[in-house]
Amino acid sequence: MIRRKLSLAAAVVTAAALSLTACSGGDAPAADLTSVSIMAPFLEAQPPGADGAVQKKLEEITGKQVKINWAPNASYEDKTNITLAGSDIPQVMVIQGKSPGFVKNAQAGAFWDLTGKLDKYPNLKTTYPDIQQNASVNGKVYGIFRGRAPMRTAVMFRQDWLDKLGLQPPKTVEDLYKVAKAFTEQDPDGNGKNDTYGITIPKWGALGSNSPYDVIEEWFGAGNRWTERDGKLVPSFETDEFLQADRFIKKMVDEKLINPDFATFDSTKWNEPFFNGKGGIIVDVDSRVSVLINLFKQADPNNFQNKVGFVGNLEGPDGKLHAHPTDGYSGFLAVPKASVRTEAELDKVLEFLNTLNGKDAGILLNNGIEGVNFTVVDGKAAPVKPETDASKAVTTDIKSYAQLGMNVAGNQFYPVKQASDYEQQVFDKRTDVMAEDLKSAVYNPAAPYVSATYVAKGAQLDNIVADARIKYLAGQIDEQGLKDAIKLWNTSGGDKVKEEINKLWQDNK
Amino acid sequence: MAAPVVEAEARAANRPPVRERKNGRFSVHFAHYKWLYLLLLPGVVYFAVFRYAPMYGVSIAFKDYVPFLGVNGSPWVGVQNFTDFFANPDFPRLLGNTLILAFLNLGIAFPLTIVLALLLNEVRLSVLKRTVQTLVYIPHFLSWTIVASLSFLLFALDIGPLFQFLNNVMGTNIDFLSDPAWFRPLIVLQDIWKNTGWGTIIFLAALATVDQDQYEAAIIDGAGRFRRVWHITLPAIRSTIIVMLILAIGQMLNTGFEQIYLMTNALNREVADVFDTYVYFVGITQGAYSYSTAVGLFKSLVGIVLIFGTNWLAKRFNQSGLF
């Protein structure tokens, strides 16, 4: 570890030396931008090649040479920090969220403050100012956010089990308990053995990470990370509803309605118990519905309908729907000052991003190349069948290129036409359910605010409560222990976080 | 006292001043051994460039380092990072976890290496000895990721073979992977499984140098196997043991980042957090470079103190030390 750190330090030293030489080169006039360098994460096994069809088309659309430095998603945060400490800083960086490292760099002036600068670029002017505000650092916009559907929470269950037991899809959290109990105790797979359980939850503990725990707490009315009580913002875990929700989850753990290894279960295997008929319910984003359907389809292409059922958010015990939305964005594209030095250069880069956010580029990044991997049918993108090598390459590449999409003014590309009528129906139903739930969404009122104390030690603080929550559910500590942990959060610095967040909230009201 | 005398001597003999004379001797000496010095040069350059120059970066432990501002541009904060760390409620827990794991490894894994080497040394059938030796080396070449995955498979709740076996034997229902009480045994076991065989190499080399005549003499005197091991073998490799012990103690606080990181989860974090994982967690993932550098620096200082301490102790007890 020490050795690694020292070599990091070595890199820093070399970088400092290099940037000095770079500075002495003098200020060249802002020549026309011929190439743009971008750093972005890739989620596939391999990053796209530099000479793929998508790359060529992208350069054609934007009229620039686009140099993309792909970094693996799993270590992207590390890579971001190291890149900023180095000398070879790209002109555009995909930043995945307001991590303490990013906030520190931004506040030290590492990135252009884009507040008020974006409106003159038609494709960068957002139609969702609330989400732009959420993505800001205390009101300062340091990047163009990557828009995501804010409502994505769904409960998916084995429809065949539900039918076999003669049950209705859950509407309330109480229904969820009943279904989970029936799935556990009434032998839904009909093999005569007591070998099923209700809900599968993977190792996923961090606070405010849209985990099943966060979602159920919000359904109970605990709010979304922060909530307003008596004119003040308090963290969700300081509400009574939070305790109620965790008591509810604990009851299910104790009655073995939840997989007993929920604290260690590998999240990449989340679909397996569902598919293999061990655990019948998953609480996650609605896109998983399609993933699950696909699993069943691959196993048996003739008989995969009616295996997966889903509903949206569930009503809490108070009879109200507190739907759980995300913050509506997944990071943003920021422009480092070290590589883009003048306002004139910034204007050129923003113009490039404006093109990148236009309809042509939007379709390329998200759908692919028309005629190669998709055709437009009824305003929808239908995959080209049968697949060719060329279409496969494009389809694979856009899974990474989509990371560059911002869509701050709504999606500019075609919705994907689903493979069969059944899947199209499910897809449309998903869209409808999510649109309906969005009306009852309870947002995080503190999303735009970044407190200095939280930047310094927020993650350690949150770990206190997050770990205590898992321990309480696992029975390692009792409710008093959970309350003590929340008290410890306050005395270890949480008090200050609350104070700062409330001040920012009041100032910006 | 010596200087005036030398000066007086120099004046009296009308020879050049002392310093020059010494330099002169050195240059003669240098000229004589120039090729050997040249041979030394790459090593010196290597250490200067890759070991000493980067230590300049350690200065960020005393700064509020922001990557964008660079090492020079970041403001100084004195020992703020250190006082923060010592005042942090995490500190006693980290220190405790690190030390307990370190002593468990030192107290169990280290002697086991010697025992295994002695056992191998007693095997007379050389085919068997070599086969066993090779087999026990193999785990060393597996990465911790593989070792952790194997552990997850073997100890998986309800379905892992070792989970079933151990719980049947003990009549319990323990989830070894998340039970804090089982974290340390698991870590030490993994360590033993992976590294004990590899660690025997140096001891086996030392054992090969033991004078065979002594054994013969001991056999004639009627000494059994254990007597021979106790009175001949162990004293013969005592200095090797001491050197290896000093080296092991210097490495003691490096509790193995990968291994512990992979085995940590929300339920056992209390006992699993050690300096190395903490530095990663706080430094790399939270971007608190200065703070984590301070923690790392503190760890290094403790390591140095331990090395010098053990070396001093070894010398006090009339053993040859490391330096």
Side-chain angles (χ1 to χ4, degrees):
Chain A
M1 202 50 211
I2 276 292
R3 185 178 302 172
R4 189 185 304 179
K5 198 153 63 247
L6 287 179
S7 57
L8 173 66
V12 170
V13 174
T14 338
L18 286 173
S19 62
L20 280 177
T21 38
C23 284
S24 58
D27 288 331
D32 244 11
L33 208 59
T34 52
S35 74
V36 180
S37 53
I38 305 177
M39 178 171 144
F42 67 93
L43 292 91
E44 299 299 293
Q46 295 285 326
D51 52 356
V54 179
Q55 177 73 30
K56 280 181 190 143
K57 181 99 181 169
L58 181 66
E59 296 189 341
E60 190 188 310
I61 291 174
T62 57
K64 312 262 184 240
Q65 194 190 350
V66 184
K67 293 182 200 148
I68 306 175
N69 178 11
W70 298 102
N73 189 50
S75 57
Y76 193 76
E77 174 83 25
D78 305 1
K79 179 88 177 154
T80 311
N81 282 328
I82 291 164
T83 302
L84 280 172
S87 63
D88 190 16
I89 301 179
Q91 284 150 314
V92 177
M93 285 173 91
V94 174
I95 301 289
Q96 290 188 311
K98 289 188 276 181
S99 68
F102 168 75
V103 171
K104 262 188 153 177
N105 281 314
Q107 287 178 336
F111 299 100
W112 283 96
D113 180 355
L114 303 176
T115 321
K117 286 200 170 89
L118 298 175
D119 286 358
K120 62 176 175 174
Y121 306 92
N123 297 332
L124 299 182
K125 184 181 166 144
T126 182
T127 46
Y128 302 100
D130 290 350
I131 295 177
Q132 179 155 302
Q133 177 73 6
N134 276 351
S136 73
V137 176
N138 302 328
K140 283 195 171 147
V141 178
Y142 285 112
I144 302 140
F145 70 88
R146 302 192 296 170
R148 292 289 184 274
M151 183 52 68
R152 305 175 70 193
T153 311
V155 179
M156 44 220 102
F157 43 82
R158 284 289 293 256
Q159 184 70 45
D160 49 342
W161 288 11
L162 204 72
D163 294 343
K164 183 164 184 296
L165 301 177
L167 295 166
Q168 290 300 309
K171 271 209 179 77
T172 66
V173 286
E174 200 45 45
D175 294 346
L176 178 69
Y177 170 77
K178 281 181 194 149
V179 173
K181 199 166 177 70
F183 277 8
T184 309
E185 292 169 358
Q186 295 181 20
D187 191 23
D189 56 354
N191 67 353
K193 287 187 205 147
N194 183 15
D195 60 354
T196 55
Y197 56 82
I199 308 175
T200 310
I201 298 181
K203 176 181 176 179
W204 187 356
L207 289 180
S209 58
N210 307 314
S211 70
Y213 313 114
D214 295 333
V215 169
I216 294 175
E217 283 152 15
E218 176 145 14
W219 289 343
F220 270 73
N224 187 345
R225 203 75 183 81
W226 291 82
T227 181
E228 189 182 340
R229 297 287 148 109
D230 306 323
K232 274 191 154 178
L233 290 187
V234 294
S236 295
F237 54 76
E238 291 199 327
T239 62
D240 286 339
E241 290 88 343
F242 172 86
L243 290 175
Q244 277 177 35
D246 279 15
R247 266 179 229 140
F248 170 78
I249 305 171
K250 181 161 171 52
K251 187 168 88 174
M252 294 202 284
V253 171
D254 290 346
E255 296 179 14
K256 306 206 180 306
L257 314 187
I258 291 175
N259 55 318
D261 53 353
F262 63 89
T264 52
F265 184 73
D266 184 358
S267 63
T268 57
K269 297 182 184 153
W270 204 354
N271 295 331
E272 284 175 20
F274 191 95
F275 176 68
N276 296 329
K278 287 207 66 160
I281 305 173
I282 288 177
V283 179
D284 192 31
V285 290
D286 66 317
S287 52
R288 192 176 287 275
V289 173
S290 298
V291 176
L292 290 168
I293 290 178
N294 245 320
L295 277 179
F296 284 103
K297 188 179 175 183
Q298 274 166 17
D300 186 355
N302 299 319
N303 180 28
F304 66 96
Q305 295 90 345
N306 303 323
K307 289 276 190 195
V308 186
F310 76 96
V311 294
N313 289 268
L314 301 179
E315 277 172 24
D318 56 357
K320 286 186 196 139
L321 183 61
H322 314 276
H324 176 83
T326 65
D327 288 333
Y329 70 97
S330 167
F332 27 80
L333 273 69
V335 185
K337 277 187 178 165
S339 50
V340 178
R341 291 170 180 277
T342 61
E343 292 265 355
E345 280 178 42
L346 176 66
D347 178 59
K348 295 270 189 276
V349 172
L350 289 178
E351 263 171 26
F352 165 78
L353 290 176
N354 187 52
T355 320
L356 191 65
N357 212 9
K359 195 167 165 64
D360 288 347
I363 291 170
L364 173 70
L365 297 179
N366 295 283
N367 297 122
I369 302 170
E370 190 172 350
V372 177
N373 74 320
F374 78 96
T375 51
V376 181
V377 182
D378 312 330
K380 293 193 176 87
V384 165
K385 294 273 157 96
E387 282 191 310
T388 60
D389 283 349
S391 77
K392 254 190 224 161
V394 171
T395 309
T396 310
D397 277 4
I398 56 170
K399 285 180 188 159
S400 297
Y401 280 97
Q403 293 294 317
L404 302 176
M406 292 156 277
N407 308 311
V408 291
N411 289 353
Q412 302 285 330
F413 49 90
Y414 303 111
V416 174
K417 187 169 170 57
Q418 304 298 309
S420 67
D421 285 349
Y422 168 69
E423 283 157 286
Q424 187 66 49
Q425 270 170 27
V426 171
F427 185 85
D428 293 344
K429 186 182 158 201
R430 263 172 56 193
T431 316
D432 294 346
V433 170
M434 291 303 128
E436 188 57 34
D437 277 4
L438 190 59
K439 295 175 192 158
S440 315
V442 179
Y443 289 97
N444 175 4
Y449 309 126
V450 175
S451 104
T453 308
Y454 193 80
V455 167
K457 49 182 175 183
Q460 290 136 279
L461 281 177
D462 283 354
N463 250 346
I464 298 175
V465 180
D467 283 355
R469 175 167 71 181
I470 303 284
K471 281 184 188 164
Y472 167 71
L473 296 176
Q476 276 189 11
I477 56 173
D478 57 8
E479 193 171 312
Q480 191 53 46
L482 181 59
K483 285 179 183 160
D484 290 346
I486 293 168
K487 224 176 267 163
L488 181 64
W489 182 89
N490 273 295
T491 52
S492 310
D495 272 343
K496 258 185 127 175
V497 174
K498 273 199 283 192
E499 209 176 282
E500 289 163 3
I501 288 284
N502 272 292
K503 186 166 185 310
L504 286 162
W505 182 60
Q506 290 293 351
D507 291 351
N508 286 281
K509 237 177 174 177
Chain B
M1 280 305 284
V5 178
V6 174
E7 263 176 32
E9 239 182 12
R11 266 200 307 276
N14 204 11
R15 276 179 296 192
V18 179
R19 184 165 294 194
E20 267 184 47
R21 196 181 67 193
K22 268 198 174 162
N23 277 351
R25 258 192 211 161
F26 181 73
S27 62
V28 171
H29 166 87
F30 184 79
H32 188 70
Y33 291 112
K34 59 177 178 289
W35 300 117
L36 285 180
Y37 276 106
L38 195 66
L39 217 56
L40 184 69
L41 191 66
V44 172
V45 170
Y46 171 81
F47 273 95
V49 172
F50 292 108
R51 289 288 183 268
Y52 280 85
M55 277 194 213
Y56 156 73
V58 167
S59 64
I60 68 171
F62 304 95
K63 290 187 159 198
D64 180 16
Y65 175 67
V66 179
F68 172 68
L69 298 176
V71 176
N72 289 327
S74 301
W76 291 99
V77 294
V79 292
Q80 180 71 38
N81 290 315
F82 291 89
T83 48
D84 277 357
F85 179 53
F86 297 138
N88 192 316
D90 287 334
F91 174 66
R93 191 170 57 92
L94 287 170
L95 187 68
N97 287 343
T98 310
L99 286 180
I100 290 172
L101 268 181
F103 278 110
L104 282 176
N105 267 337
L106 202 66
I108 300 173
F110 183 73
L112 269 180
T113 317
I114 303 171
V115 170
L116 183 66
L118 290 176
L119 289 175
L120 280 172
N121 193 46
E122 294 298 317
V123 177
R124 283 289 157 253
L125 198 61
S126 96
V127 179
L128 180 65
K129 182 178 169 183
R130 289 211 186 117
T131 318
V132 172
Q133 245 176 299
T134 312
L135 285 177
V136 293
Y137 289 167
I138 288 174
H140 174 79
F141 298 102
L142 300 179
S143 78
W144 277 117
T145 316
I146 296 174
V147 178
S149 306
L150 281 175
S151 308
F152 282 130
L153 285 176
L154 290 172
F155 289 101
L157 193 69
D158 295 334
I159 50 169
L162 276 180
F163 173 91
Q164 291 174 337
F165 174 75
L166 290 174
N167 278 319
N168 284 340
V169 168
M170 299 188 291
T172 49
N173 189 26
I174 298 166
D175 182 5
F176 299 98
L177 294 174
S178 65
D179 190 334
W182 281 92
F183 177 76
R184 286 171 186 141
L186 213 56
I187 291 289
V188 175
L189 268 177
Q190 285 180 335
D191 215 39
I192 290 172
W193 184 80
K194 182 164 150 66
N195 288 329
T196 306
W198 184 253
T200 58
I201 291 182
I202 288 186
F203 291 112
L204 284 171
L207 287 169
T209 63
V210 180
D211 184 3
Q212 295 299 315
D213 292 348
Q214 291 190 20
Y215 288 116
E216 280 169 30
I219 292 168
I220 292 165
D221 286 347
R225 277 203 170 203
F226 286 102
R227 289 252 152 231
R228 274 180 268 149
V229 167
W230 188 251
H231 289 295
I232 300 171
T233 319
L234 279 177
I237 62 167
R238 189 163 53 193
S239 58
T240 311
I241 295 179
I242 299 280
V243 168
M244 293 306 286
L245 186 69
I246 294 173
L247 288 175
I249 287 177
Q251 291 290 316
M252 202 166 87
L253 295 187
N254 296 341
T255 28
F257 165 75
E258 286 169 74
Q259 181 191 13
I260 292 174
Y261 178 76
L262 290 166
M263 299 303 294
T264 304
N265 57 55
L267 293 176
N268 62 22
R269 199 191 310 277
E270 196 110 317
V271 294
D273 265 351
V274 294
F275 287 131
D276 285 339
T277 51
Y278 187 76
V279 165
Y280 169 78
F281 180 63
V282 177
I284 304 292
T285 65
Q286 282 179 246
Y289 297 110
S290 287
Y291 182 70
S292 57
T293 308
V295 177
L297 195 60
F298 169 74
K299 205 193 90 173
S300 312
L301 283 179
V302 175
I304 290 176
V305 169
L306 283 174
I307 281 211
F308 278 94
T310 335
N311 198 49
W312 178 77
L313 271 180
K315 281 187 174 159
R316 277 213 65 153
F317 289 103
N318 268 336
Q319 300 296 333
S320 52
L322 189 59
F323 40 82

